[in-house]
């Protein structure tokens, strides 16, 4: 199962939610440990949100965890 791309309002980077966390939960953690609390994640509510989440650069900490999962830095 893949991680979900999300972002915070006014955010300049996207995050990846843990596979078992819902983007509709304010307390849902991204791979880096960030939550949207007290707000909510954006990125799954409409086509525009999905495109924005995909266009933002990935959070450095989330990217490091994804690289680690894949076996390290190429």
């Amino acid at each position: 199962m893949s991680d979900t791309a999300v972002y915070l309002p006014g955010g300049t980077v996207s995050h990846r939610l843990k596979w078992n966390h819902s983007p509709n939960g304010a307390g849902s953690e991204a791979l880096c440990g960030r939550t949207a609390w007290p707000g909510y994640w954006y990125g799954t509510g409409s086509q525009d949100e999905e495109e924005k989440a995909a266009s933002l650069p990935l959070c450095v900490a989330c990217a490091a965890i994804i690289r680690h999962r894949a076996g390290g830095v190429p």
Side-chain angles (χ1 to χ4, degrees):
M1 185 173 271
S2 64
D3 301 314
T4 303
V6 292
Y7 62 94
L8 294 169
T12 58
V13 296
S14 67
H15 297 272
R16 297 301 182 269
L17 289 183
K18 295 178 179 180
W19 69 271
N20 59 345
H21 285 233
S22 169
N24 299 321
S28 293
E29 285 188 0
L31 295 175
C32 65
R34 179 83 191 252
T35 67
W37 184 261
Y40 292 94
W41 292 110
Y42 287 75
T44 62
S46 68
Q47 185 66 36
D48 288 339
E49 283 187 17
E50 288 181 22
E51 289 173 6
K52 180 171 180 175
S55 71
L56 291 171
L58 183 58
C59 158
V60 173
C62 286
I65 291 168
I66 291 169
R67 274 194 310 274
H68 176 74
R69 284 179 171 178
V73 179

